[in-house]
């Protein structure tokens, strides 16, 4: 589609804008006026040519596949269009219903037997995903609707796992953008939509959970339209069909009031509006977007064939990041059929396949025809914003619980993670036993820690910190766009807490049911440790989400208010009598009968400043009898911290000891003498902790 506007038409819209602020809702968006509005006021503030001549704009991808007879694609003749395939990614903010919708699509496409019990969260096969209730890894599946195979790519919804989204969108031709009818677009919605626009995907908007008590489907769609106007790079991207759904019940429709009893409207919209893959003439070309491993077949390269075809036994060239090419032989060609991987004799352009026999292939490599190797652009991932130090466990309990605890084993495991986790960076430090690990957020790093812990690794980690850069001689720090939904009576407390963390409010919206949505721009370091405080301030009734938006000048220092720690003064086994004395000073993290060592954090006190307590102290025996001597001491139950809570709790002079059985908070310097020496050294150097 090619759009032209005359100088007079654009000048009229500019005049109207100068008289009254304009938005998506005040422009009267028909097809023609929408195009003029974009040209007059710009999409993403892009510069445009002189209006003395018509302005020409082109889509990155054609809105519909061109005819095979006359069209060209990437400068080469098109030989075929795969009308039997649709490649679709499902993108959304966390907890907006992606995995639940995939469950319903699988069940209604007769992927399973009628009497087969498959439960819910079918795609979340990872134990950690089921425990946390979120999708962590992008996954593939396939369903059949009539004569069309729909390849589905389920993506994570949390911003910390945005790297998983970035590396798999190249396999799709279109996507379903899920939006909660009550919450509307959230920070990750903005991120995934921007990435979908960048690769030229055709969008289908799905307003989900229209049955919620506080659902406002029309309002959610209105905010989605505003988001489209803000992020779209081309006028054609503003045209997107809308489906309303209740994924949990497996129902969809074209209006929120007239949902059908199944998802047939969604199936039809996918087949009609998602472009069919275009087959180009030429040799094999495929970008590796993921890797999998099987005990019988070894490493499998997963990706979409962009050009040509491949069969078992074919010789192919693997083009790596350095530009080198090596010749290997394909052993098996597999495709997805539901949740299974099925071997096929041949796969062609448009198919999402798994190739075996390519042992050393990496994500981002190109698999090509060895006679005419032609590399594809490598996958680009946004840079990490948070880092922490991983080190060998140096506590007195080292080696007691872990299977892998040496420097060599820890280093090998961290660098092996880079093969599949593209959003992660690992660097050696000046200390051979410590490594600097950078990720997209606290949760991104916490999932890595928990995964390694369950694999039997034993190590220690430092407090997360934002990655600060010096750009053009100026100190810059990462900032994020934060969205919080809170009850109206709790706005004051949340606003005060965020103000202390250098947050700047950019928008506030009140709904008719006592809820308030606040949007902030806040330094990433201001969000570290804020989640627990937010849950306390809102009594668990608040919702927050954030997404990195870039770097800005350093916003200045701010003081974090955390009460002092209760640290064990000696090693031993905790006793009720000793813990009772510690609970007079604050809350404890451990129960009687647990082993502790000097410098281990056993609780948090009621005011600032650390205190050493003897939790191993026992009551001295005497020959004095008392009428109340047989009354047992009553202890307050210990406050057990999760991994994420432990990371939030850490101060700069503290570490978290991670083992397969325990999470222990400790001081970086264990003895009182070492702590005093470190404190004097810091004061002398002017750093001060």
């Amino acid at each position: 589609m090619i759009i032209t506007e005359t100088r007079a038409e654009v000048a009229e819209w500019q005049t109207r804008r100068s008289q009254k602020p304009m938005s998506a809702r005040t422009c009267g968006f028909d097809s023609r006026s929408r195009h003029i509005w974009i040209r007059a006021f710009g999409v993403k503030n892009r510069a445009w040519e002189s209006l003395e001549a018509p302005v020409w704009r082109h889509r990155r991808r054609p809105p519909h596949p061109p005819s095979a007879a006359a069209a060209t694609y990437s400068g080469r003749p098109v030989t075929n269009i795969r009308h039997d395939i649709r490649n679709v990614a499902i993108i959304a903010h966390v907890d907006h219903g992606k995995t639940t919708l995939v469950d319903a699509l699988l069940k209604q496409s007769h992927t399973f037997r009628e009497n087969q019990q498959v439960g819910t969260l079918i795609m979340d096969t990872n134990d950690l995903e089921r425990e946390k209730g979120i999708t962590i890894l992008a996954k593939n599946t396939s369903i059949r609707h009539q004569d069309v195979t729909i390849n589905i790519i389920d993506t994570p919804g949390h911003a910390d796992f945005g790297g998983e989204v970035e590396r798999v969108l190249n396999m799709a031709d279109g996507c379903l953008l899920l939006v909660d009818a009550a919450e509307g677009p959230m920070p990750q919605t903005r991120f995934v939509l921007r990435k979908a626009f960048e690769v030229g995907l055709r969008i289908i908007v799905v307003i989900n959970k229209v049955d919620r008590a506080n659902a406002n489907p029309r309002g959610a769609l209105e905010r989605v339209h505003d988001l489209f106007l803000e992020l779209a790079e081309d006028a054609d991207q503003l045209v997107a069909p809308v489906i309303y759904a209740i994924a949990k019940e497996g129902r969809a429709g074209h209006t929120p009031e007239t949902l059908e009893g199944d998802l047939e409207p969604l199936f039809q919209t996918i087949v009609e509006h998602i472009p069919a893959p275009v087959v180009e003439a030429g040799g094999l070309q495929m970008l590796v977007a993921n890797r999998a491993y099987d005990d019988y077949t070894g490493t499998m390269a997963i990706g979409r064939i962009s050009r040509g075809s491949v069969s078992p036994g074919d010789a192919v060239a693997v083009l790596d990041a350095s530009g080198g090419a090596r010749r290997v032989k394909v052993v098996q060609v597999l495709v997805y059929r539901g949740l299974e991987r099925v071997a096929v004799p041949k796969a062609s352009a448009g198919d999402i396949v798994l190739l075996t026999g390519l042992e050393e292939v990496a994500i981002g490599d190109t698999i090509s025809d060895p006679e005419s190797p032609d590399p594809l652009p490598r996958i680009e991932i946004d840079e990490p914003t948070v880092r922490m130090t991983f080190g060998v466990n140096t506590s007195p309990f080292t080696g007691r619980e872990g299977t892998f605890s040496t420097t060599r084993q820890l280093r090998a495991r961290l660098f092996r993670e880079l093969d599949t986790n593209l959003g992660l960076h690992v660097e050696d430090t000046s200390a051979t036993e410590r490594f600097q690990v950078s990720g997209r957020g606290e949760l991104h790093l916490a999932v890595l820690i928990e995964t390694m812990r369950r694999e039997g690794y034993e190590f220690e980690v430092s407090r997360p910190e934002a990655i600060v850069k010096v750009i053009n001689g100026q100190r810059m720090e990462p900032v994020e766009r934060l969205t919080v939904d809170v009850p109206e009576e709790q706005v004051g407390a949340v606003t005060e807490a965020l103000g202390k963390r250098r947050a700047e409010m950019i928008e506030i919206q009140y709904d008719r049911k006592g809820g308030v949505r606040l949007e902030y721009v806040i330094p990433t370091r201001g969000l570290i440790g804020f989640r627990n405080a937010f849950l306390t301030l809102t009594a668990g009734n608040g919702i927050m989400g954030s997404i990195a938006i870039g770097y800005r000048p350093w916003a200045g220092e701010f003081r974090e208010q955390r009460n002092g720690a209760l640290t064990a003064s000696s090693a031993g086994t905790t006793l009720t009598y000793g813990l009772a004395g510690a609970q007079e000073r604050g809350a404890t993290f451990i129960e009687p009968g647990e082993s502790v060592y000097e410098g281990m954090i056993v609780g948090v006190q009621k005011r600032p400043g650390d205190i050493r307590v003897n939790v191993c102290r026992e009551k001295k025996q005497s020959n004095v009898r008392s009428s109340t001597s047989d009354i047992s001491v009553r202890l307050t139950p210990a406050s057990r911290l999760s991994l994420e809570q432990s990371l939030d709790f850490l101060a700069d002079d503290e570490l978290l000891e991670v083992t397969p059985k325990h999470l222990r908070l400790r001081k970086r310097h264990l003895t009182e003498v070492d702590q005093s020496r470190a404190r004097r050294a810091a004061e002398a150097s002017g750093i001060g902790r």
Side-chain angles (χ1 to χ4, degrees):
M1 180 178 182
I2 300 176
I3 305 163
T4 62
E5 297 95 19
T6 65
R7 184 181 182 88
E9 288 174 319
V10 175
E12 177 186 354
W13 281 91
Q14 289 176 322
T15 302
R16 289 179 58 184
R17 186 193 190 194
S18 64
Q19 295 172 350
K20 179 181 179 181
M22 304 192 68
S23 68
R25 295 185 293 274
T26 60
C27 287
F29 268 72
D30 55 22
S31 176
R32 180 65 175 170
S33 63
R34 175 168 54 241
H35 300 155
I36 300 173
W37 189 88
I38 293 171
R39 176 45 65 202
F41 312 122
V43 176
K44 301 178 70 174
N45 298 320
R46 293 191 303 178
W48 48 289
E49 306 92 328
S50 170
L51 288 173
E52 297 297 340
V55 180
W56 300 83
R57 306 185 51 145
H58 301 268
R59 278 184 56 83
R60 187 173 302 184
R61 291 185 182 179
H64 296 285
S67 64
T72 61
Y73 189 81
S74 302
R76 292 182 286 269
V78 174
T79 59
N80 194 13
I81 297 177
R82 296 289 303 273
H83 293 290
D84 61 325
I85 291 180
R86 300 292 186 273
N87 295 318
V88 184
I90 300 184
I91 59 177
H93 186 78
V94 63
D95 202 32
H96 279 199
K98 298 182 306 301
T99 305
T100 305
L101 180 62
V102 174
D103 288 354
L105 291 171
L106 287 168
K107 293 174 182 178
Q108 294 191 21
S109 61
H110 306 291
T111 302
F112 310 108
R113 302 188 309 272
E114 294 295 337
N115 62 343
Q116 188 172 354
Q117 299 295 324
V118 292
T120 58
L121 305 179
I122 301 170
M123 295 291 289
D124 288 346
T125 54
N126 188 299
D127 291 340
L128 203 53
E129 291 179 320
R130 288 184 171 271
E131 290 176 17
K132 293 184 175 295
I134 60 174
T135 300
I136 296 174
L137 303 173
K139 306 175 188 67
N140 296 78
T141 187
S142 174
I143 60 177
R144 291 282 296 179
H145 180 71
Q146 298 176 358
D147 297 329
V148 177
T149 297
I150 302 176
N151 291 317
I152 297 175
I153 307 164
D154 186 21
T155 64
H158 200 285
D160 286 19
F161 308 111
E164 291 286 310
V165 180
E166 293 172 88
R167 68 178 174 83
V168 298
L169 285 184
N170 67 82
M171 293 193 289
D173 295 298
C175 64
L176 306 182
L177 177 67
L178 264 69
V179 179
D180 191 300
E183 297 179 5
M186 294 290 281
Q188 181 70 356
T189 310
R190 175 186 301 272
F191 171 79
V192 295
L193 182 60
R194 174 166 56 87
K195 292 299 179 181
F197 281 155
E198 287 177 0
V199 298
L201 299 187
R202 172 63 66 87
I203 312 294
I204 296 175
V205 178
V206 179
I207 307 297
N208 193 26
K209 303 185 182 181
V210 297
D211 59 330
R212 289 185 60 174
N214 57 344
N216 182 9
R218 305 297 184 188
L221 181 60
E222 208 170 314
R223 295 198 294 272
V224 170
H225 284 161
D226 290 346
L227 191 60
F228 268 60
L229 285 171
E230 180 182 345
L231 300 178
E233 296 182 342
D234 194 282
D236 289 340
Q237 293 177 331
L238 297 175
V239 181
V242 180
I243 296 293
Y244 299 88
I246 305 175
K248 191 173 183 179
E249 299 178 5
R251 301 171 58 203
H254 295 284
T255 65
E257 297 83 11
T258 58
L259 299 186
E260 297 188 15
D262 55 22
L263 295 175
E264 185 60 27
L266 180 57
F267 281 115
Q268 293 178 356
T269 305
I270 292 173
V271 174
E272 293 173 3
H273 291 274
I274 299 299
V278 178
V279 179
E280 302 178 52
L284 174 66
Q285 193 179 46
M286 167 184 149
L287 184 67
V288 179
N290 201 356
R291 297 200 328 170
Y293 183 82
D294 184 84
D295 292 336
Y296 297 98
T297 60
T299 302
M300 294 180 282
I302 303 174
R304 170 181 166 174
I305 301 177
S306 302
R307 192 180 67 202
S309 61
V310 63
S311 300
D314 286 354
V316 298
V318 177
L319 312 179
D320 57 25
S322 63
R326 58 187 179 87
R327 195 181 183 101
V328 295
K329 181 178 179 181
V330 176
V331 176
Q332 270 189 317
V333 179
L334 308 170
V335 297
Y336 289 97
R337 292 290 182 263
L339 302 181
E340 298 179 353
R341 301 162 179 168
V342 179
V344 294
K346 182 179 180 181
S348 305
D351 286 321
I352 295 177
V353 299
L354 304 91
L355 304 182
T356 67
L358 319 178
E359 290 301 325
E360 298 180 2
V361 69
I363 295 176
D365 289 353
T366 298
I367 298 176
S368 181
D369 185 346
E371 302 302 327
S372 56
D374 185 9
L376 289 165
R378 296 189 71 84
I379 299 172
E380 296 183 0
I381 302 295
D382 289 349
E383 293 184 355
T385 57
V386 176
R387 66 188 176 196
M388 62 170 55
T389 301
F390 283 55
V392 175
N393 187 12
T394 57
S395 82
F397 292 169
T398 182
R400 292 190 182 185
E401 300 172 356
T403 305
F404 310 105
S405 57
T406 66
T407 302
R408 177 183 59 82
Q409 292 168 333
L410 179 61
R411 185 181 188 280
R413 176 62 182 85
L414 289 173
F415 278 91
R416 189 167 68 247
E417 182 71 17
L418 300 180
D419 292 340
T420 55
N421 197 338
L422 298 190
L424 200 72
H425 289 183
V426 180
E427 301 174 8
D428 292 312
T429 65
S430 56
T432 57
E433 71 277 4
R434 296 192 185 97
F435 310 94
Q436 191 174 88
V437 181
S438 307
R440 300 284 281 269
E442 284 182 273
L443 185 59
H444 187 196
L445 297 175
V447 167
L448 172 63
I449 293 171
E450 182 64 26
T451 302
M452 293 175 60
R453 174 181 177 233
R454 297 187 182 198
E455 293 174 357
Y457 285 84
E458 180 180 319
F459 52 98
E460 61 187 24
V461 297
S462 67
R463 182 179 188 268
E465 61 179 6
I467 300 176
V468 180
K469 297 181 178 180
V470 177
I471 302 176
N472 297 327
Q474 188 173 15
R475 193 181 186 188
M476 308 287 281
E477 65 176 339
V479 294
E480 302 189 24
R481 185 181 182 122
L482 172 68
T483 301
V484 296
D485 292 333
V486 296
E488 189 171 351
E489 61 271 14
Q490 295 163 346
V491 170
V494 173
T495 302
E496 181 182 3
L498 288 171
K500 295 178 180 178
R501 293 171 176 265
R502 301 289 183 178
E504 299 178 8
M505 184 185 295
I506 58 177
E507 188 174 351
I508 180 170
Q509 298 176 359
Y510 291 84
D511 61 28
R512 300 177 181 177
K513 300 178 181 179
V516 182
R517 170 166 291 187
L518 307 169
E519 295 199 16
Y520 291 86
V521 173
I522 182 172
T524 298
R525 60 192 170 97
L527 285 176
I528 296 175
F530 176 69
R531 188 172 299 274
N532 287 335
F534 177 74
L535 292 174
T536 302
L537 292 172
T538 61
N541 294 320
I543 299 174
M544 63 174 287
S546 63
I547 189 72
I549 58 175
Y551 277 76
R552 291 189 180 181
W554 180 262
E557 300 290 346
F558 62 86
R559 295 185 63 86
E560 298 182 38
Q561 296 181 349
R562 195 207 80 177
N563 292 343
L566 300 176
T567 60
S569 60
S570 60
T573 302
T574 57
L575 298 172
T576 301
Y577 187 75
L579 287 173
Q583 289 189 349
E584 294 177 359
R585 306 277 188 140
T588 56
F589 298 155
I590 57 177
E591 299 283 1
E594 297 188 25
S595 298
V596 298
Y597 51 81
E598 183 181 2
M600 178 176 165
I601 298 174
V602 296
V604 57
Q605 75 143 326
K606 300 176 182 179
R607 54 184 61 87
D610 297 340
I611 297 179
R612 295 169 64 85
V613 294
N614 185 2
V615 291
C616 303
R617 184 176 59 172
E618 60 181 349
K619 185 176 181 180
K620 301 301 181 182
Q621 296 179 354
S622 71
N623 58 359
V624 179
R625 299 178 60 85
S626 171
S627 60
T628 60
S629 61
D630 295 331
I631 300 177
S632 61
V633 177
R634 295 183 180 272
L635 292 178
T636 303
S639 300
R640 294 292 190 180
L641 300 184
S642 65
L643 174 59
E644 290 81 5
Q645 291 172 328
S646 299
L647 293 175
D648 286 349
F649 182 86
L650 286 175
D652 290 337
D653 64 339
E654 296 167 355
L655 297 172
L656 175 63
E657 178 187 353
V658 181
T659 73
K661 296 181 180 179
H662 292 95
L663 297 172
R664 299 186 183 98
L665 296 163
R666 50 160 289 190
K667 288 293 181 179
R668 189 181 295 268
H669 303 283
L670 297 179
T671 67
E672 189 173 12
V673 173
D674 290 341
Q675 292 172 13
S676 299
R677 185 181 295 117
R679 189 161 48 250
R680 288 195 300 270
E683 291 173 354
S685 62
I687 297 176
R689 291 192 180 275

